[in-house]
């Protein structure tokens, strides 16, 4: 019985850690759980941190337009998009699609594990709400763009991803190149921005159009990290 109590206390402490740590991520260069796992296995990890202000504006614009159009409006979870996904799932023959916000993806990348898992989703929701509460939008986007996996050989973040794909720093990425990096985000091992196939090129063209049409700059330019 004592062993079970100790086990439950350890589990509770582990669940509490992300909530304690997150406010400290207003500064510094956090790493993802996937990066940590690769380090533990001795696998290569390439990541050079770059501040949001030093990135090409095309990168955050493309990611928001493609991944989370309501990033500037919601508080960690896009409840409207989530309801649409639930409604679609109840319709026979509907195509499955995701509704994860950038903040939810950040929660997963920073503290949880990859893959589709109901338990992970249950942990991800309150974490996303907490992250949005304690971190400015600009900082959320900055961390996300510096820990997202963007290459097949352990390239993390837009600096390493753009260097691998285009041989240039993130500050010089064009709108099309930013869209190509965005298009490989779901699976950078099987998709390539360096040698994009027809599907990646088609998605990139869609994301370029979305980024040009959307008014996204105010959210991540005016929310300064303090």
């Amino acid at each position: 019985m004592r062993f079970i109590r100790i086990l439950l206390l350890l589990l509770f402490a582990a669940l509490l850690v992300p909530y304690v740590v997150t406010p400290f991520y207003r500064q510094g260069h956090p790493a993802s759980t996937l990066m940590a796992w690769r380090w533990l296995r001795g696998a290569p990890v390439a990541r050079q941190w770059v501040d949001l202000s030093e990135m090409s504006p095309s990168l955050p614009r493309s990611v928001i337009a493609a991944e989370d159009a309501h990033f500037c409006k919601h508080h960690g979870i896009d409840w409207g998009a989530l309801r649409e996904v639930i409604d679609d799932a109840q319709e026979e023959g509907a195509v499955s699609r995701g509704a994860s916000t950038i903040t939810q993806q950040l929660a997963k990348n920073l503290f949880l594990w990859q893959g589709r898992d109901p338990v992970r989703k249950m942990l991800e929701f309150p974490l996303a709400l907490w992250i949005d509460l304690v971190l400015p939008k600009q900082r959320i986007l900055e961390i996300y763009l510096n820990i997202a996996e963007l290459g097949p050989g352990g390239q993390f973040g837009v600096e390493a991803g753009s260097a691998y794909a285009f041989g240039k720093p993130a500050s010089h990425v064009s709108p099309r190149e930013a869209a190509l990096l965005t298009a490989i985000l779901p699976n950078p091992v099987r998709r390539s921005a360096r040698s994009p196939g027809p599907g990646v090129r088609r998605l990139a063209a869609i994301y370029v159009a979305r980024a040009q049409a959307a008014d996204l700059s105010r959210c991540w330019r005016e929310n300064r990290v303090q």
Side-chain angles (χ1 to χ4, degrees):
M1 199 68 181
R2 184 181 177 186
F3 173 77
I4 294 176
R5 284 200 297 267
I6 293 173
L7 193 62
L8 289 174
L9 284 173
L10 289 174
L11 179 60
F12 177 75
L15 293 174
L16 196 62
V17 166
Y19 294 90
V20 175
V21 169
T22 299
F24 294 98
Y25 283 170
R26 293 176 70 92
Q27 304 292 333
H29 301 163
S32 69
T33 52
L34 185 55
M35 292 169 65
W37 177 240
R38 290 182 67 89
W39 280 324
L40 286 173
R41 292 189 295 117
V45 173
R47 197 278 292 270
Q48 182 178 347
W49 185 278
V50 56
D51 292 342
L52 191 62
S53 60
E54 297 174 359
M55 298 178 193
S56 164
S58 297
L59 285 162
R61 285 183 65 86
S62 180
V63 168
I64 292 175
E67 299 272 296
D68 189 359
H70 297 143
F71 175 72
C72 296
K73 299 177 181 178
H74 64 66
H75 296 289
I77 297 173
D78 188 342
W79 298 107
L82 185 61
R83 281 193 294 269
E84 289 179 9
V85 169
I86 293 172
D87 290 343
D88 288 348
Q90 294 173 345
E91 295 180 11
E92 188 175 353
V95 178
S96 176
R97 60 191 179 94
S100 290
T101 63
I102 286 173
T103 315
Q104 286 177 257
Q105 294 176 56
L106 180 62
K108 176 191 69 176
N109 290 343
L110 278 177
F111 301 116
L112 303 173
W113 56 93
Q114 306 298 310
R116 294 178 178 272
D117 188 322
V119 174
R120 196 208 75 204
K121 276 294 180 184
M122 289 174 59
L123 298 173
E124 181 184 293
F125 271 57
L127 264 176
L129 294 170
W130 177 245
I131 289 171
D132 188 86
L133 180 67
V134 300
L135 297 181
K137 291 285 189 181
Q138 185 193 35
R139 182 60 174 168
I140 291 171
L141 194 56
E142 183 174 74
I143 298 174
Y144 177 73
L145 289 168
N146 274 286
I147 67 172
E149 189 180 14
L150 286 169
Q155 291 84 12
F156 291 86
V158 293
E159 188 74 5
S162 58
Y164 173 79
F166 314 120
K168 62 173 68 174
S171 58
H172 291 86
V173 168
S174 70
R176 181 178 181 276
E177 290 166 339
L180 285 170
L181 286 175
T182 302
I184 69 168
L185 274 172
N187 195 333
V189 175
R190 299 186 64 179
R191 298 182 183 184
S192 175
R194 190 176 189 173
S195 303
V200 170
R201 291 198 299 269
R202 178 179 57 81
L203 281 175
I206 293 172
Y207 296 159
V208 168
R210 286 185 187 175
Q212 290 174 343
D215 180 16
L216 306 169
S217 60
R218 181 173 298 178
C219 166
W220 54 272
R221 286 297 186 191
E222 291 187 357
N223 284 276
R224 303 298 181 189
V225 179
Q226 299 177 358

